[in-house]
Amino acid sequence: MSKKLLLINDLAGYGKVALSAMIPVLSHMKYETYNLPTAIVSNTLDYGKFDILDTTEYMKNTLNVWEQLGFHFDAVSTGFIVSKEQTEVVTKFCKEKSGQGTLIFTDPIMGDDGKLYNGITEGTVALMRELISVADYIVPNYTEAAYLTNAVYQEDGVSEEELHTIIDSLREYGAKSVVITSAKVKGSDSKSVVGYDHKEKSYFRIDFEEIPVRFPGTGDIFSAVLMGKIMDGKNLCESTKQAMQVVRDMIQMNLDNADKYKGIPIETCLEVIKN
């Protein structure tokens, strides 16, 4: 029987990001995917003009209905969350499900390049610490990991030991396994993904050459593949490697796309996801 995965993230009407990126990936990997939109977004934010509908009331009502119907999920993934109230709703739900044996995957989407996104406050960061406290796997980028642990963001690079200290701090909050993406490690010309696998009880580091192009939604593709590989029984390091390779292959296939703001047309390149 295929495993049931619930994806809690926003839904863009135009553009392959968040749910629109994760659903085709995980469906292709033969999972039953279900979704709970945190917001309906007109298009990817890269276009500079957009509209966002906050779905908090819908989420609360939906979770209440699902509880009455007795729906069960093998894993829950959380992504973009739009408000304090919504963070509280999602955290409460994840705590309940974690207690019932559901695996929790969290991408604490809050910022990049050393800064928080517009509308994200220190209060949001504090609430996100509560959410990661119940997560089995978290995938912050270096900026988000620094904010969550009150570490100083180092633009010119951070040592691997300092990243291990940040990982240890995140685990002290309750997160079990951690993958920090997009870190510039001192002494290396490339960027790195550094993580800790709580099952293997070991750290790992994977270096990669950055492709100088931006597609929104690549982080969502990474999170989806990682989740799928973990649910398939792969260890965290191998799952991370495969997720990184999928993202790289998809970017390479779409380098010549005229409109990169809409993200990668995922359905046209799902064959790069190998078993």
Side-chain angles (χ1 to χ4, degrees):
M1 186 182 292
S2 64
K3 292 172 181 172
K4 298 180 178 180
L5 312 183
L6 174 62
L7 311 176
I8 303 177
N9 213 332
D10 63 287
L11 178 64
Y14 191 94
K16 291 293 178 181
V17 298
L19 291 176
S20 298
M22 298 182 78
I23 290 171
V25 167
L26 286 162
S27 296
H28 178 77
M29 295 175 80
K30 305 294 189 288
Y31 291 104
E32 286 186 45
T33 60
Y34 302 88
N35 66 84
L36 185 64
T38 57
I40 308 296
V41 186
S42 58
N43 45 267
T44 62
L45 309 188
D46 297 65
Y47 287 103
K49 194 177 286 188
F50 52 86
D51 188 52
I52 297 180
L53 174 67
D54 183 331
T55 58
T56 303
E57 287 306 310
Y58 163 80
M59 289 174 68
K60 286 157 66 176
N61 294 336
T62 296
L63 290 174
N64 185 38
V65 170
W66 287 356
E67 185 177 1
Q68 292 174 42
L69 292 170
F71 290 164
H72 167 75
F73 305 101
D74 295 291
V76 175
S77 167
T78 73
F80 182 65
I81 301 175
V82 302
S83 66
K84 176 179 183 291
E85 183 183 13
Q86 208 174 83
T87 309
E88 290 168 345
V89 168
V90 173
T91 300
K92 180 173 179 285
F93 173 75
C94 286
K95 278 183 178 172
E96 289 171 359
K97 294 303 161 191
S98 176
Q100 296 164 11
T102 301
L103 283 179
I104 308 296
F105 294 76
T106 293
D107 183 355
I109 300 170
M110 297 184 296
D112 205 356
D113 297 322
K115 299 181 185 127
L116 294 174
Y117 295 134
N118 285 338
I120 303 293
T121 65
E122 290 292 345
T124 307
V125 177
L127 286 166
M128 196 58 74
R129 289 188 191 112
E130 287 188 41
L131 180 53
I132 68 168
S133 73
V134 298
D136 295 278
Y137 298 90
I138 66 170
V139 288
N141 60 34
Y142 171 46
T143 296
E144 291 154 349
Y147 269 99
L148 285 166
T149 59
N150 291 314
V152 176
Y153 178 86
Q154 299 179 61
E155 197 167 336
D156 58 343
V158 58
S159 72
E160 192 169 345
E161 292 72 25
E162 287 169 315
L163 286 168
H164 288 179
T165 299
I166 289 173
I167 287 171
D168 293 344
S169 297
L170 290 167
R171 296 189 68 246
E172 282 174 16
Y173 285 123
K176 293 177 183 171
S177 283
V178 180
V179 175
I180 298 178
T181 63
S182 303
K184 180 173 170 49
V185 178
K186 284 177 181 170
S188 173
D189 294 331
S190 56
K191 282 199 170 179
S192 305
V193 172
V194 178
Y196 179 86
D197 185 337
H198 76 281
K199 290 186 175 178
E200 306 273 341
K201 293 183 171 53
S202 62
Y203 299 94
F204 62 88
R205 169 182 165 184
I206 308 166
D207 295 337
F208 66 95
E209 292 298 326
E210 198 169 22
I211 302 172
V213 63
R214 171 180 157 72
F215 282 100
T218 51
D220 301 302
I221 298 169
F222 174 86
S223 292
V225 177
L226 179 76
M227 182 185 196
K229 294 298 180 182
I230 292 288
M231 296 304 293
D232 193 36
K234 303 280 192 305
N235 69 33
L236 184 58
C237 183
E238 182 58 32
S239 299
T240 302
K241 281 181 186 172
Q242 292 193 31
M244 291 168 70
Q245 190 61 51
V246 167
V247 171
R248 186 173 189 84
D249 290 346
M250 286 191 176
I251 290 174
Q252 291 281 15
M253 288 176 69
N254 292 278
L255 282 175
D256 296 331
N257 292 11
D259 183 3
K260 295 181 174 63
Y261 287 172
K262 64 183 177 184
I264 290 171
I266 292 163
E267 290 85 352
T268 67
C269 45
L270 288 168
E271 71 274 8
V272 305
I273 304 173
K274 307 291 195 297
N275 290 333

